[in-house]
Amino acid sequence: MQKLRLRYAKRGRLRFTSHRDIARTFERALRRAGVPMAYSQGFSPHPKVSWVGAAPTGVASEAEYVEVSVVEAVDPAALRDALDAVLPPGLDVLEVVQAAGGSLPERIEASTWQVELPSVSPEALGAAVEAFLAAESVEVERLTKDGRKVIDVRPAVVSAKVVAAEPGDAGTAQVQAYSSDAGHDARDLSQPCGILVMVVRQTTPTVRPDDVLSALRVVADLVPPVPAKATRMAQGRLDDEGGLVDPLALDRAAEV
């Protein structure tokens, strides 16, 4: 049995798709691509597909991960191409590597998020972020299936900074990378746009981008006039400088 690890992106309108539907779409794509999947034992066998976390519904991502087990040797590059050919636009396989042992979930403890706030000036966003970082605790309410729950957002945020994107400027290269994947999803360059880049620990309960925006409302009364767009840019373990270590780096090195 061979285990393969995939990094995929969720872009454009696909960001509004639930994780359950994403999983079903992937399993259909694996069948259509003729991948020799390994199956679980028992009365109702299921393909051995293991999801490592999932971006919340409504946010985009450039760094989602899934593991698949197969019963015949599969070339990672060929698998990537085969899946990309049958997956819908906006659900894109970026990389496939052969697992070199170890646990993939143990290599992921934080995410880098990039949040666009159209019509919010970088100055206003920067002041709100400064107030948030200066606080020891910022509690917000989240509506769950069990009712309202209060969570402290501040401990989960490792770092946060504001990237300015002025009118007529496409902003950073990263903004271009994920905003241009579909014309309908690109931001209006005629409006100012504050861009928040933050590293957030994957705690329990999970602190999501909208929780951080709620925290900015609490500390600075920052209320974006239009919905923000959040994209997960990376996942991994935290290094000594607060950056993230690529979770597939060890697998990639083992292939050399």
mmCIF file of all heavy atoms in Angstrom, residues 170-221:
data_model
loop_
_atom_site.group_PDB
_atom_site.id
_atom_site.type_symbol
_atom_site.label_atom_id
_atom_site.label_comp_id
_atom_site.label_asym_id
_atom_site.label_seq_id
_atom_site.Cartn_x
_atom_site.Cartn_y
_atom_site.Cartn_z
ATOM 1 N N ALA A 170 -2.802 46.596 -7.638
ATOM 2 C CA ALA A 170 -3.236 45.211 -7.450
ATOM 3 C C ALA A 170 -2.789 44.648 -6.125
ATOM 4 O O ALA A 170 -3.108 43.524 -5.779
ATOM 5 C CB ALA A 170 -2.703 44.335 -8.596
ATOM 6 N N GLY A 171 -2.050 45.417 -5.361
ATOM 7 C CA GLY A 171 -1.629 44.937 -4.039
ATOM 8 C C GLY A 171 -0.439 44.013 -4.140
ATOM 9 O O GLY A 171 0.375 44.097 -5.050
ATOM 10 N N THR A 172 -0.340 43.119 -3.203
ATOM 11 C CA THR A 172 0.792 42.210 -3.165
ATOM 12 C C THR A 172 0.649 41.121 -4.198
ATOM 13 O O THR A 172 -0.418 40.865 -4.736
ATOM 14 C CB THR A 172 0.908 41.569 -1.778
ATOM 15 O OG1 THR A 172 -0.242 40.765 -1.577
ATOM 16 C CG2 THR A 172 1.000 42.621 -0.684
ATOM 17 N N ALA A 173 1.769 40.419 -4.437
ATOM 18 C CA ALA A 173 1.740 39.307 -5.389
ATOM 19 C C ALA A 173 0.794 38.216 -4.916
ATOM 20 O O ALA A 173 0.137 37.558 -5.709
ATOM 21 C CB ALA A 173 3.153 38.748 -5.576
ATOM 22 N N GLN A 174 0.701 38.028 -3.614
ATOM 23 C CA GLN A 174 -0.191 37.004 -3.096
ATOM 24 C C GLN A 174 -1.642 37.344 -3.387
ATOM 25 O O GLN A 174 -2.445 36.475 -3.711
ATOM 26 C CB GLN A 174 0.006 36.846 -1.585
ATOM 27 C CG GLN A 174 1.282 36.117 -1.219
ATOM 28 C CD GLN A 174 1.393 35.929 0.284
ATOM 29 O OE1 GLN A 174 1.091 36.822 1.050
ATOM 30 N NE2 GLN A 174 1.841 34.774 0.681
ATOM 31 N N VAL A 175 -2.000 38.625 -3.263
ATOM 32 C CA VAL A 175 -3.366 39.026 -3.562
ATOM 33 C C VAL A 175 -3.685 38.707 -5.010
ATOM 34 O O VAL A 175 -4.732 38.168 -5.344
ATOM 35 C CB VAL A 175 -3.569 40.527 -3.287
ATOM 36 C CG1 VAL A 175 -4.940 40.967 -3.763
ATOM 37 C CG2 VAL A 175 -3.401 40.820 -1.810
ATOM 38 N N GLN A 176 -2.750 39.030 -5.909
ATOM 39 C CA GLN A 176 -2.957 38.721 -7.315
ATOM 40 C C GLN A 176 -3.128 37.228 -7.517
ATOM 41 O O GLN A 176 -3.952 36.776 -8.309
ATOM 42 C CB GLN A 176 -1.775 39.225 -8.144
ATOM 43 C CG GLN A 176 -1.631 40.745 -8.157
ATOM 44 C CD GLN A 176 -0.389 41.176 -8.911
ATOM 45 O OE1 GLN A 176 0.373 40.354 -9.402
ATOM 46 N NE2 GLN A 176 -0.181 42.472 -8.988
ATOM 47 N N ALA A 177 -2.355 36.437 -6.798
ATOM 48 C CA ALA A 177 -2.345 34.996 -7.005
ATOM 49 C C ALA A 177 -3.702 34.374 -6.779
ATOM 50 O O ALA A 177 -4.103 33.483 -7.506
ATOM 51 C CB ALA A 177 -1.302 34.344 -6.088
ATOM 52 N N TYR A 178 -4.420 34.828 -5.756
ATOM 53 C CA TYR A 178 -5.692 34.171 -5.503
ATOM 54 C C TYR A 178 -6.901 34.985 -5.928
ATOM 55 O O TYR A 178 -7.998 34.463 -6.036
ATOM 56 C CB TYR A 178 -5.828 33.760 -4.034
ATOM 57 C CG TYR A 178 -6.093 34.861 -3.049
ATOM 58 C CD1 TYR A 178 -7.371 35.370 -2.875
ATOM 59 C CD2 TYR A 178 -5.074 35.374 -2.260
ATOM 60 C CE1 TYR A 178 -7.619 36.375 -1.953
ATOM 61 C CE2 TYR A 178 -5.326 36.364 -1.336
ATOM 62 C CZ TYR A 178 -6.598 36.860 -1.187
ATOM 63 O OH TYR A 178 -6.830 37.834 -0.276
ATOM 64 N N SER A 179 -6.720 36.293 -6.219
ATOM 65 C CA SER A 179 -7.865 37.083 -6.653
ATOM 66 C C SER A 179 -8.111 36.940 -8.146
ATOM 67 O O SER A 179 -9.199 37.197 -8.620
ATOM 68 C CB SER A 179 -7.655 38.557 -6.319
ATOM 69 O OG SER A 179 -7.744 38.789 -4.940
ATOM 70 N N SER A 180 -7.086 36.548 -8.892
ATOM 71 C CA SER A 180 -7.230 36.488 -10.340
ATOM 72 C C SER A 180 -7.638 35.115 -10.832
ATOM 73 O O SER A 180 -7.727 34.898 -12.031
ATOM 74 C CB SER A 180 -5.902 36.883 -11.009
ATOM 75 O OG SER A 180 -4.875 35.981 -10.646
ATOM 76 N N ASP A 181 -7.933 34.174 -9.926
ATOM 77 C CA ASP A 181 -8.284 32.839 -10.389
ATOM 78 C C ASP A 181 -9.625 32.829 -11.094
ATOM 79 O O ASP A 181 -9.925 31.949 -11.858
ATOM 80 C CB ASP A 181 -8.291 31.835 -9.224
ATOM 81 C CG ASP A 181 -9.304 32.193 -8.153
ATOM 82 O OD1 ASP A 181 -10.471 31.844 -8.327
ATOM 83 O OD2 ASP A 181 -8.914 32.812 -7.151
ATOM 84 N N ALA A 182 -10.484 33.812 -10.834
ATOM 85 C CA ALA A 182 -11.749 33.950 -11.536
ATOM 86 C C ALA A 182 -12.125 35.421 -11.526
ATOM 87 O O ALA A 182 -12.080 36.083 -10.502
ATOM 88 C CB ALA A 182 -12.846 33.126 -10.855
ATOM 89 N N GLY A 183 -12.509 35.945 -12.701
ATOM 90 C CA GLY A 183 -12.779 37.362 -12.803
ATOM 91 C C GLY A 183 -13.847 37.843 -11.841
ATOM 92 O O GLY A 183 -13.766 38.941 -11.294
ATOM 93 N N HIS A 184 -14.886 37.014 -11.599
ATOM 94 C CA HIS A 184 -15.969 37.436 -10.724
ATOM 95 C C HIS A 184 -15.521 37.581 -9.279
ATOM 96 O O HIS A 184 -16.206 38.208 -8.477
ATOM 97 C CB HIS A 184 -17.115 36.420 -10.782
ATOM 98 C CG HIS A 184 -16.749 35.083 -10.227
ATOM 99 N ND1 HIS A 184 -16.230 34.083 -11.010
ATOM 100 C CD2 HIS A 184 -16.810 34.590 -8.966
ATOM 101 C CE1 HIS A 184 -15.994 33.015 -10.254
ATOM 102 N NE2 HIS A 184 -16.324 33.294 -9.016
ATOM 103 N N ASP A 185 -14.352 37.007 -8.959
ATOM 104 C CA ASP A 185 -13.928 36.980 -7.566
ATOM 105 C C ASP A 185 -12.854 38.019 -7.260
ATOM 106 O O ASP A 185 -12.423 38.160 -6.134
ATOM 107 C CB ASP A 185 -13.390 35.586 -7.236
ATOM 108 C CG ASP A 185 -13.565 35.247 -5.763
ATOM 109 O OD1 ASP A 185 -14.523 35.759 -5.166
ATOM 110 O OD2 ASP A 185 -12.736 34.493 -5.246
ATOM 111 N N ALA A 186 -12.395 38.738 -8.286
ATOM 112 C CA ALA A 186 -11.350 39.727 -8.060
ATOM 113 C C ALA A 186 -11.941 40.960 -7.382
ATOM 114 O O ALA A 186 -13.086 41.327 -7.589
ATOM 115 C CB ALA A 186 -10.707 40.122 -9.393
ATOM 116 N N ARG A 187 -11.123 41.631 -6.541
ATOM 117 C CA ARG A 187 -11.631 42.792 -5.828
ATOM 118 C C ARG A 187 -11.669 44.012 -6.745
ATOM 119 O O ARG A 187 -11.006 44.070 -7.777
ATOM 120 C CB ARG A 187 -10.761 43.075 -4.598
ATOM 121 C CG ARG A 187 -9.359 43.555 -4.902
ATOM 122 C CD ARG A 187 -8.633 43.892 -3.604
ATOM 123 N NE ARG A 187 -7.274 44.331 -3.855
ATOM 124 C CZ ARG A 187 -6.946 45.577 -4.153
ATOM 125 N NH1 ARG A 187 -7.880 46.499 -4.271
ATOM 126 N NH2 ARG A 187 -5.695 45.902 -4.357
ATOM 127 N N ASP A 188 -12.443 45.009 -6.361
ATOM 128 C CA ASP A 188 -12.580 46.266 -7.089
ATOM 129 C C ASP A 188 -11.359 47.129 -6.806
ATOM 130 O O ASP A 188 -11.191 47.646 -5.702
ATOM 131 C CB ASP A 188 -13.864 46.972 -6.650
ATOM 132 C CG ASP A 188 -14.103 48.269 -7.398
ATOM 133 O OD1 ASP A 188 -13.267 48.633 -8.262
ATOM 134 O OD2 ASP A 188 -15.122 48.929 -7.124
ATOM 135 N N LEU A 189 -10.506 47.293 -7.811
ATOM 136 C CA LEU A 189 -9.261 48.032 -7.621
ATOM 137 C C LEU A 189 -9.479 49.539 -7.514
ATOM 138 O O LEU A 189 -8.538 50.282 -7.234
ATOM 139 C CB LEU A 189 -8.284 47.715 -8.757
ATOM 140 C CG LEU A 189 -7.864 46.247 -8.889
ATOM 141 C CD1 LEU A 189 -6.869 46.092 -10.033
ATOM 142 C CD2 LEU A 189 -7.263 45.740 -7.592
ATOM 143 N N SER A 190 -10.709 50.014 -7.746
ATOM 144 C CA SER A 190 -10.968 51.449 -7.639
ATOM 145 C C SER A 190 -11.204 51.873 -6.189
ATOM 146 O O SER A 190 -11.268 53.072 -5.899
ATOM 147 C CB SER A 190 -12.197 51.821 -8.473
ATOM 148 O OG SER A 190 -13.376 51.255 -7.925
ATOM 149 N N GLN A 191 -11.328 50.905 -5.279
ATOM 150 C CA GLN A 191 -11.601 51.199 -3.879
ATOM 151 C C GLN A 191 -10.381 50.870 -3.015
ATOM 152 O O GLN A 191 -9.637 49.944 -3.319
ATOM 153 C CB GLN A 191 -12.796 50.372 -3.395
ATOM 154 C CG GLN A 191 -14.098 50.654 -4.119
ATOM 155 C CD GLN A 191 -14.598 52.059 -3.885
ATOM 156 O OE1 GLN A 191 -14.465 52.593 -2.779
ATOM 157 N NE2 GLN A 191 -15.154 52.671 -4.916
ATOM 158 N N PRO A 192 -10.191 51.655 -1.917
ATOM 159 C CA PRO A 192 -9.115 51.289 -0.991
ATOM 160 C C PRO A 192 -9.423 49.943 -0.357
ATOM 161 O O PRO A 192 -10.583 49.534 -0.235
ATOM 162 C CB PRO A 192 -9.152 52.425 0.049
ATOM 163 C CG PRO A 192 -10.552 52.932 -0.012
ATOM 164 C CD PRO A 192 -10.974 52.805 -1.448
ATOM 165 N N CYS A 193 -8.389 49.254 0.026
ATOM 166 C CA CYS A 193 -8.587 47.923 0.601
ATOM 167 C C CYS A 193 -7.461 47.631 1.584
ATOM 168 O O CYS A 193 -6.300 47.545 1.201
ATOM 169 C CB CYS A 193 -8.608 46.862 -0.499
ATOM 170 S SG CYS A 193 -8.860 45.178 0.096
ATOM 171 N N GLY A 194 -7.823 47.499 2.859
ATOM 172 C CA GLY A 194 -6.855 47.061 3.840
ATOM 173 C C GLY A 194 -6.755 45.540 3.784
ATOM 174 O O GLY A 194 -7.764 44.850 3.638
ATOM 175 N N ILE A 195 -5.554 45.027 3.888
ATOM 176 C CA ILE A 195 -5.336 43.576 3.820
ATOM 177 C C ILE A 195 -4.642 43.139 5.104
ATOM 178 O O ILE A 195 -3.547 43.603 5.424
ATOM 179 C CB ILE A 195 -4.491 43.193 2.594
ATOM 180 C CG1 ILE A 195 -5.200 43.640 1.313
ATOM 181 C CG2 ILE A 195 -4.250 41.687 2.559
ATOM 182 C CD1 ILE A 195 -4.364 43.481 0.069
ATOM 183 N N LEU A 196 -5.289 42.260 5.819
ATOM 184 C CA LEU A 196 -4.767 41.737 7.075
ATOM 185 C C LEU A 196 -4.117 40.385 6.835
ATOM 186 O O LEU A 196 -4.748 39.477 6.282
ATOM 187 C CB LEU A 196 -5.904 41.595 8.091
ATOM 188 C CG LEU A 196 -5.584 40.907 9.420
ATOM 189 C CD1 LEU A 196 -4.514 41.678 10.185
ATOM 190 C CD2 LEU A 196 -6.852 40.763 10.252
ATOM 191 N N VAL A 197 -2.848 40.251 7.214
ATOM 192 C CA VAL A 197 -2.121 38.977 7.119
ATOM 193 C C VAL A 197 -1.795 38.549 8.544
ATOM 194 O O VAL A 197 -1.164 39.303 9.288
ATOM 195 C CB VAL A 197 -0.835 39.125 6.287
ATOM 196 C CG1 VAL A 197 -0.084 37.799 6.237
ATOM 197 C CG2 VAL A 197 -1.161 39.592 4.874
ATOM 198 N N MET A 198 -2.222 37.354 8.907
ATOM 199 C CA MET A 198 -2.025 36.913 10.293
ATOM 200 C C MET A 198 -1.724 35.425 10.359
ATOM 201 O O MET A 198 -2.136 34.651 9.503
ATOM 202 C CB MET A 198 -3.276 37.225 11.126
ATOM 203 C CG MET A 198 -4.549 36.632 10.571
ATOM 204 S SD MET A 198 -5.994 37.240 11.485
ATOM 205 C CE MET A 198 -7.322 36.468 10.534
ATOM 206 N N VAL A 199 -0.967 35.061 11.379
ATOM 207 C CA VAL A 199 -0.677 33.662 11.684
ATOM 208 C C VAL A 199 -1.499 33.295 12.911
ATOM 209 O O VAL A 199 -1.407 33.961 13.948
ATOM 210 C CB VAL A 199 0.825 33.434 11.951
ATOM 211 C CG1 VAL A 199 1.082 31.987 12.365
ATOM 212 C CG2 VAL A 199 1.636 33.783 10.702
ATOM 213 N N VAL A 200 -2.315 32.245 12.779
ATOM 214 C CA VAL A 200 -3.252 31.870 13.834
ATOM 215 C C VAL A 200 -3.049 30.403 14.201
ATOM 216 O O VAL A 200 -3.052 29.531 13.323
ATOM 217 C CB VAL A 200 -4.712 32.095 13.387
ATOM 218 C CG1 VAL A 200 -5.686 31.730 14.508
ATOM 219 C CG2 VAL A 200 -4.918 33.537 12.941
ATOM 220 N N ARG A 201 -2.856 30.145 15.480
ATOM 221 C CA ARG A 201 -2.743 28.764 15.952
ATOM 222 C C ARG A 201 -4.069 28.033 15.776
ATOM 223 O O ARG A 201 -5.144 28.622 15.930
ATOM 224 C CB ARG A 201 -2.358 28.724 17.432
ATOM 225 C CG ARG A 201 -0.922 29.118 17.729
ATOM 226 C CD ARG A 201 -0.587 28.838 19.196
ATOM 227 N NE ARG A 201 0.778 29.216 19.510
ATOM 228 C CZ ARG A 201 1.140 30.416 19.940
ATOM 229 N NH1 ARG A 201 0.206 31.347 20.117
ATOM 230 N NH2 ARG A 201 2.399 30.694 20.203
ATOM 231 N N GLN A 202 -3.976 26.753 15.481
ATOM 232 C CA GLN A 202 -5.176 25.932 15.348
ATOM 233 C C GLN A 202 -5.520 25.354 16.717
ATOM 234 O O GLN A 202 -5.110 24.251 17.065
ATOM 235 C CB GLN A 202 -4.957 24.861 14.278
ATOM 236 C CG GLN A 202 -4.724 25.462 12.904
ATOM 237 C CD GLN A 202 -4.554 24.435 11.801
ATOM 238 O OE1 GLN A 202 -4.686 23.244 12.029
ATOM 239 N NE2 GLN A 202 -4.249 24.886 10.599
ATOM 240 N N THR A 203 -6.239 26.150 17.476
ATOM 241 C CA THR A 203 -6.584 25.802 18.842
ATOM 242 C C THR A 203 -7.948 25.115 18.893
ATOM 243 O O THR A 203 -8.616 24.945 17.880
ATOM 244 C CB THR A 203 -6.622 27.072 19.701
ATOM 245 O OG1 THR A 203 -7.560 27.995 19.111
ATOM 246 C CG2 THR A 203 -5.261 27.722 19.775
ATOM 247 N N THR A 204 -8.343 24.725 20.095
ATOM 248 C CA THR A 204 -9.689 24.207 20.326
ATOM 249 C C THR A 204 -10.362 25.090 21.369
ATOM 250 O O THR A 204 -9.860 25.191 22.495
ATOM 251 C CB THR A 204 -9.649 22.748 20.829
ATOM 252 O OG1 THR A 204 -8.956 21.944 19.856
ATOM 253 C CG2 THR A 204 -11.048 22.208 21.015
ATOM 254 N N PRO A 205 -11.471 25.774 21.033
ATOM 255 C CA PRO A 205 -12.119 25.786 19.720
ATOM 256 C C PRO A 205 -11.292 26.554 18.700
ATOM 257 O O PRO A 205 -10.487 27.413 19.061
ATOM 258 C CB PRO A 205 -13.451 26.486 19.992
ATOM 259 C CG PRO A 205 -13.149 27.403 21.137
ATOM 260 C CD PRO A 205 -12.185 26.642 22.008
ATOM 261 N N THR A 206 -11.504 26.224 17.434
ATOM 262 C CA THR A 206 -10.770 26.866 16.358
ATOM 263 C C THR A 206 -11.122 28.345 16.276
ATOM 264 O O THR A 206 -12.296 28.717 16.346
ATOM 265 C CB THR A 206 -11.101 26.184 15.014
ATOM 266 O OG1 THR A 206 -10.768 24.805 15.094
ATOM 267 C CG2 THR A 206 -10.337 26.832 13.877
ATOM 268 N N VAL A 207 -10.106 29.178 16.142
ATOM 269 C CA VAL A 207 -10.310 30.614 15.917
ATOM 270 C C VAL A 207 -10.272 30.865 14.419
ATOM 271 O O VAL A 207 -9.266 30.617 13.759
ATOM 272 C CB VAL A 207 -9.245 31.453 16.642
ATOM 273 C CG1 VAL A 207 -9.332 32.920 16.227
ATOM 274 C CG2 VAL A 207 -9.404 31.323 18.151
ATOM 275 N N ARG A 208 -11.386 31.347 13.879
ATOM 276 C CA ARG A 208 -11.531 31.546 12.448
ATOM 277 C C ARG A 208 -11.312 33.018 12.090
ATOM 278 O O ARG A 208 -11.351 33.885 12.975
ATOM 279 C CB ARG A 208 -12.920 31.088 12.001
ATOM 280 C CG ARG A 208 -13.239 29.658 12.391
ATOM 281 C CD ARG A 208 -14.639 29.242 11.990
ATOM 282 N NE ARG A 208 -15.664 30.105 12.565
ATOM 283 C CZ ARG A 208 -16.903 29.702 12.827
ATOM 284 N NH1 ARG A 208 -17.250 28.446 12.590
ATOM 285 N NH2 ARG A 208 -17.791 30.548 13.328
ATOM 286 N N PRO A 209 -11.108 33.308 10.808
ATOM 287 C CA PRO A 209 -10.926 34.719 10.416
ATOM 288 C C PRO A 209 -12.072 35.620 10.846
ATOM 289 O O PRO A 209 -11.849 36.754 11.262
ATOM 290 C CB PRO A 209 -10.816 34.633 8.887
ATOM 291 C CG PRO A 209 -10.238 33.278 8.632
ATOM 292 C CD PRO A 209 -10.857 32.386 9.670
ATOM 293 N N ASP A 210 -13.328 35.123 10.760
ATOM 294 C CA ASP A 210 -14.435 35.979 11.157
ATOM 295 C C ASP A 210 -14.440 36.243 12.658
ATOM 296 O O ASP A 210 -14.939 37.276 13.112
ATOM 297 C CB ASP A 210 -15.777 35.390 10.694
ATOM 298 C CG ASP A 210 -16.028 34.001 11.245
ATOM 299 O OD1 ASP A 210 -15.059 33.262 11.451
ATOM 300 O OD2 ASP A 210 -17.200 33.649 11.451
ATOM 301 N N ASP A 211 -13.839 35.333 13.443
ATOM 302 C CA ASP A 211 -13.700 35.601 14.873
ATOM 303 C C ASP A 211 -12.732 36.758 15.117
ATOM 304 O O ASP A 211 -12.955 37.594 15.999
ATOM 305 C CB ASP A 211 -13.196 34.352 15.603
ATOM 306 C CG ASP A 211 -14.182 33.200 15.546
ATOM 307 O OD1 ASP A 211 -15.399 33.459 15.655
ATOM 308 O OD2 ASP A 211 -13.744 32.044 15.378
ATOM 309 N N VAL A 212 -11.656 36.793 14.353
ATOM 310 C CA VAL A 212 -10.693 37.896 14.491
ATOM 311 C C VAL A 212 -11.336 39.217 14.082
ATOM 312 O O VAL A 212 -11.141 40.253 14.727
ATOM 313 C CB VAL A 212 -9.423 37.624 13.662
ATOM 314 C CG1 VAL A 212 -8.453 38.805 13.767
ATOM 315 C CG2 VAL A 212 -8.740 36.336 14.121
ATOM 316 N N LEU A 213 -12.145 39.196 13.007
ATOM 317 C CA LEU A 213 -12.842 40.423 12.607
ATOM 318 C C LEU A 213 -13.819 40.868 13.684
ATOM 319 O O LEU A 213 -13.968 42.075 13.938
ATOM 320 C CB LEU A 213 -13.570 40.189 11.279
ATOM 321 C CG LEU A 213 -12.675 39.912 10.064
ATOM 322 C CD1 LEU A 213 -13.523 39.713 8.818
ATOM 323 C CD2 LEU A 213 -11.668 41.031 9.852
ATOM 324 N N SER A 214 -14.478 39.910 14.341
ATOM 325 C CA SER A 214 -15.362 40.266 15.453
ATOM 326 C C SER A 214 -14.563 40.889 16.592
ATOM 327 O O SER A 214 -15.016 41.829 17.255
ATOM 328 C CB SER A 214 -16.103 39.028 15.957
ATOM 329 O OG SER A 214 -16.978 38.513 14.967
ATOM 330 N N ALA A 215 -13.343 40.378 16.808
ATOM 331 C CA ALA A 215 -12.487 40.931 17.856
ATOM 332 C C ALA A 215 -12.063 42.356 17.522
ATOM 333 O O ALA A 215 -11.969 43.215 18.414
ATOM 334 C CB ALA A 215 -11.259 40.044 18.049
ATOM 335 N N LEU A 216 -11.819 42.648 16.248
ATOM 336 C CA LEU A 216 -11.470 44.014 15.850
ATOM 337 C C LEU A 216 -12.647 44.964 16.076
ATOM 338 O O LEU A 216 -12.456 46.142 16.405
ATOM 339 C CB LEU A 216 -11.038 44.049 14.382
ATOM 340 C CG LEU A 216 -9.766 43.269 14.023
ATOM 341 C CD1 LEU A 216 -9.439 43.439 12.551
ATOM 342 C CD2 LEU A 216 -8.591 43.704 14.885
ATOM 343 N N ARG A 217 -13.849 44.457 15.929
ATOM 344 C CA ARG A 217 -15.022 45.269 16.245
ATOM 345 C C ARG A 217 -15.084 45.573 17.745
ATOM 346 O O ARG A 217 -15.414 46.686 18.153
ATOM 347 C CB ARG A 217 -16.296 44.556 15.797
ATOM 348 C CG ARG A 217 -17.579 45.298 16.169
ATOM 349 C CD ARG A 217 -18.830 44.546 15.773
ATOM 350 N NE ARG A 217 -18.956 44.422 14.336
ATOM 351 C CZ ARG A 217 -20.039 43.919 13.721
ATOM 352 N NH1 ARG A 217 -21.064 43.493 14.441
ATOM 353 N NH2 ARG A 217 -20.087 43.836 12.413
ATOM 354 N N VAL A 218 -14.730 44.574 18.544
ATOM 355 C CA VAL A 218 -14.782 44.747 19.998
ATOM 356 C C VAL A 218 -13.769 45.790 20.467
ATOM 357 O O VAL A 218 -14.085 46.677 21.265
ATOM 358 C CB VAL A 218 -14.531 43.400 20.716
ATOM 359 C CG1 VAL A 218 -14.325 43.609 22.215
ATOM 360 C CG2 VAL A 218 -15.682 42.442 20.471
ATOM 361 N N VAL A 219 -12.528 45.703 19.967
ATOM 362 C CA VAL A 219 -11.471 46.572 20.486
ATOM 363 C C VAL A 219 -11.425 47.939 19.821
ATOM 364 O O VAL A 219 -10.899 48.896 20.406
ATOM 365 C CB VAL A 219 -10.079 45.902 20.363
ATOM 366 C CG1 VAL A 219 -10.037 44.602 21.151
ATOM 367 C CG2 VAL A 219 -9.710 45.656 18.899
ATOM 368 N N ALA A 220 -11.952 48.045 18.586
ATOM 369 C CA ALA A 220 -11.796 49.312 17.856
ATOM 370 C C ALA A 220 -13.044 49.731 17.095
ATOM 371 O O ALA A 220 -12.989 50.691 16.328
ATOM 372 C CB ALA A 220 -10.614 49.206 16.880
ATOM 373 N N ASP A 221 -14.147 49.013 17.293
ATOM 374 C CA ASP A 221 -15.397 49.335 16.606
ATOM 375 C C ASP A 221 -15.209 49.361 15.084
ATOM 376 O O ASP A 221 -15.809 50.184 14.386
ATOM 377 C CB ASP A 221 -15.957 50.677 17.099
ATOM 378 C CG ASP A 221 -17.440 50.838 16.753
ATOM 379 O OD1 ASP A 221 -18.136 49.809 16.640
ATOM 380 O OD2 ASP A 221 -17.892 51.985 16.575
#
